[in-house]
Amino acid sequence: DAGVTQSPTHLIKTRGQHVTLRCSPISGHKSVSWYQQVLGQGPQFIFQYYEKEERGRGNFPDRFSARQFPNYSSELNVNALLLGDSALYLCASSLELAGSYEQYFGPGTRLTVT
Amino acid sequence: DAKTTQPPSMDCAEGRAANLPCNHSTISGNEYVYWYRQIHSQGPQYIIHGLKNNETNEMASLIITEDRKSSTLILPHATLRDTAVYYCIVRGGGIGGFQKLVFGTGTRLLVSP
């Protein structure tokens, strides 16, 4: 089975632009979470979606938004990009059945804002 | 979520066991201990988790103390490919509901020949 996939792998944007990152979860997984990892730090939680509903949100500004589609794939949108948004953006999916809540991560999207 | 404390770095010789400690003295009764690792520039990889019993899978063993205030991840025969940052995370259990992973700074394990 394929793991979590993310696209694009890398991208470069300019300050003030908008970006959309995409994630496809492992087949059968209904929960998708997004994390931001700045260089030298551990991943920081941004959003979690389950069955197309937002279930949790981290301490990120309203410039960050996300959604989950009927096929459980997800998009993370960031508006008005700042230099500080440069990071590795990670998507993780989870089966969400009793006894199986571990999250499986994709390879990430490396965003550089110039 | 309870906070965890890990040493910033550890070294291990190839072929030897790597024992990575984690302190989680404020863990509550329904919180699980999860271990992930992150090899340079890749997404974190799930390793193992446990509640109060010791656990073993094909990757590692997890030893949780009886009072659950600390745990040790054991890689029985470390290889060069085990060089990574290892994260110990405590998160709530239960069925469903919002459960996020709170990553600290982890332990950087260097396996040398």
Side-chain angles (χ1 to χ4, degrees):
Chain A
D1 285 338
V4 177
T5 59
Q6 294 185 243
S7 63
T9 305
H10 298 83
L11 76 164
I12 300 173
K13 291 286 189 177
T14 304
R15 274 180 301 174
Q17 287 187 318
H18 162 271
V19 68
T20 297
L21 311 180
R22 295 177 175 83
C23 170
S24 291
I26 293 172
S27 178
H29 285 197
K30 298 182 179 180
S31 175
V32 169
S33 299
W34 287 94
Y35 293 81
Q36 179 197 64
Q37 187 172 25
V38 176
L39 197 63
Q41 298 181 18
Q44 299 295 308
F45 172 76
I46 309 176
F47 285 109
Q48 186 176 92
Y49 276 77
Y50 178 73
E51 291 279 16
K52 302 183 292 294
E53 297 291 326
E54 180 183 307
R55 197 161 72 179
R57 183 186 185 117
N59 188 24
F60 280 81
D62 291 343
R63 299 185 296 106
F64 289 76
S65 63
R67 56 179 175 169
Q68 186 178 32
F69 299 99
N71 66 353
Y72 303 113
S73 67
S74 178
E75 283 182 354
L76 175 70
N77 295 283
V78 186
N79 293 322
L81 286 167
L82 303 174
L83 295 179
D85 295 331
S86 295
L88 180 67
Y89 287 85
L90 296 159
C91 172
S93 73
S94 177
L95 184 59
E96 298 280 339
L97 287 180
S100 183
Y101 298 100
E102 57 269 24
Q103 296 184 12
Y104 295 90
F105 285 79
T109 294
R110 173 77 59 187
L111 171 65
T112 301
V113 182
T114 62
Chain B
D1 295 321
K3 186 175 180 179
T4 62
T5 303
Q6 299 178 253
S9 64
M10 293 184 65
D11 295 325
C12 180
E14 188 177 22
R16 304 297 294 268
N19 297 282
L20 291 89
C22 179
N23 186 296
H24 33 79
S25 58
T26 60
I27 193 170
S28 60
N30 67 342
E31 289 183 315
Y32 287 72
V33 179
Y34 280 74
W35 283 83
Y36 284 77
R37 73 180 183 184
Q38 188 172 26
I39 297 170
H40 182 62
S41 295
Q42 298 181 19
Q45 177 188 23
Y46 165 78
I47 301 174
I48 198 168
H49 74 281
L51 183 61
K52 55 183 178 181
N53 298 320
N54 297 337
E55 302 288 343
T56 295
N57 63 19
E58 65 278 4
M59 290 183 67
S61 294
L62 174 60
I63 308 298
I64 302 174
T65 58
E66 192 169 343
D67 64 7
R68 303 209 323 122
K69 293 185 177 182
S70 65
S71 61
T72 301
L73 178 74
I74 301 173
L75 308 179
H77 305 287
T79 70
L80 299 180
R81 287 176 296 179
D82 292 322
T83 292
V85 177
Y86 288 77
Y87 296 100
C88 169
I89 299 167
V90 170
R91 59 176 285 184
I95 298 175
F98 172 49
Q99 297 174 38
K100 66 182 180 182
L101 296 176
V102 180
F103 288 82
T105 53
T107 295
R108 187 172 298 277
L109 175 69
L110 176 61
V111 181
S112 302

